[in-house]
Amino acid sequence: REAMWEEWARVRWANRRQVEAWTAEASQPGESWRAHYLGREASIRRRAIPIFSMSSRLAVGRVMPLHLFEPRYRWLVRRAVQDHESHFVFCTTPPVAGTSAHKSNSWLCEARNVEVLPDGRANIGAVPLARVTLQDVWTEAVPDEPDAPRLAVAHVEELPLRVDDVAPRAPDRFDE
């Protein structure tokens, strides 16, 4: 049974930058792959994850290059990189604060190749990891930018992937 959890964890973590560290932790003597996997996944759901919204077509494994210039999205980059293992949510329709179980095309993404420019704008590669539904959506003020639009934030729940959610593997200039 433990082998089944190891295989499942390796498949689920395949596109995540931390896969080697997480695999090493789960492989320690006395560690349970099941417990480690469930703990990692639960920790993602418990966090308040910032949301980026833009109409687009995403797929697991296909990098979406983004140039972020609005104050709320510059704040998203700082939050994601500093507090959330580079995770953020990419919604293809705008989320509505005060709602729960937002059913749009929402993806848990990892920010890769983050380049913060001197004026605060940022270039990132958004790597979709999993389709999610938003739970408990709210907004937060952008620090030092009182007149800026607020940043949407939510807890997320992962959804099962569909066949068309995964991009065919091709070389990608944003891969590390």
Side-chain angles (χ1 to χ4, degrees):
R1 251 191 146 169
E2 196 64 12
M4 175 193 74
W5 283 101
E6 178 180 357
E7 181 179 343
W8 181 248
R10 288 180 188 276
V11 167
R12 288 279 300 120
W13 298 343
N15 289 319
R16 298 183 190 219
R17 185 181 354 201
Q18 303 90 341
V19 67
E20 289 179 24
W22 291 357
T23 301
E25 290 171 11
S27 299
Q28 296 295 318
E31 277 291 321
S32 159
W33 274 93
R34 179 183 183 276
H36 196 75
Y37 171 78
L38 293 174
R40 284 285 171 200
E41 296 299 312
S43 73
I44 291 170
R45 287 191 299 273
R46 281 192 300 268
R47 293 182 301 199
I49 301 179
I51 300 171
F52 173 77
S53 180
M54 180 179 87
S55 179
S56 188
R57 171 95 170 102
L58 299 176
V60 170
R62 183 183 306 140
V63 177
M64 170 67 69
L66 297 173
H67 175 75
L68 303 175
F69 54 89
E70 287 186 42
R72 62 182 162 176
Y73 296 137
R74 294 189 320 230
W75 174 234
L76 173 144
V77 170
R78 290 198 319 259
R79 278 192 62 176
V81 171
Q82 293 171 2
D83 302 335
H84 297 285
E85 299 178 339
S86 297
H87 291 152
F88 67 97
V89 172
F90 191 127
C91 289
T92 59
T93 59
V96 178
T99 61
S100 63
H102 185 68
K103 299 292 185 192
S104 75
N105 260 346
S106 301
W107 296 84
L108 179 66
C109 290
E110 183 177 78
R112 292 198 186 159
N113 300 324
V114 176
E115 175 191 15
V116 179
L117 304 172
D119 63 358
R121 293 175 299 132
N123 296 315
I124 69 170
V127 180
L129 302 173
R131 188 180 292 277
V132 295
T133 186
L134 306 181
Q135 305 290 326
D136 308 318
V137 180
W138 67 94
T139 62
E140 295 179 356
V142 177
D144 303 322
E145 297 275 355
D147 297 327
R150 297 169 65 89
L151 177 64
V153 181
H155 293 111
V156 300
E157 182 175 322
E158 193 166 326
L159 299 172
L161 287 178
R162 302 179 312 229
V163 172
D164 62 337
D165 288 341
V166 180
R169 186 68 184 137
D172 198 322
R173 66 184 186 94
F174 284 91
D175 281 345
E176 291 185 282

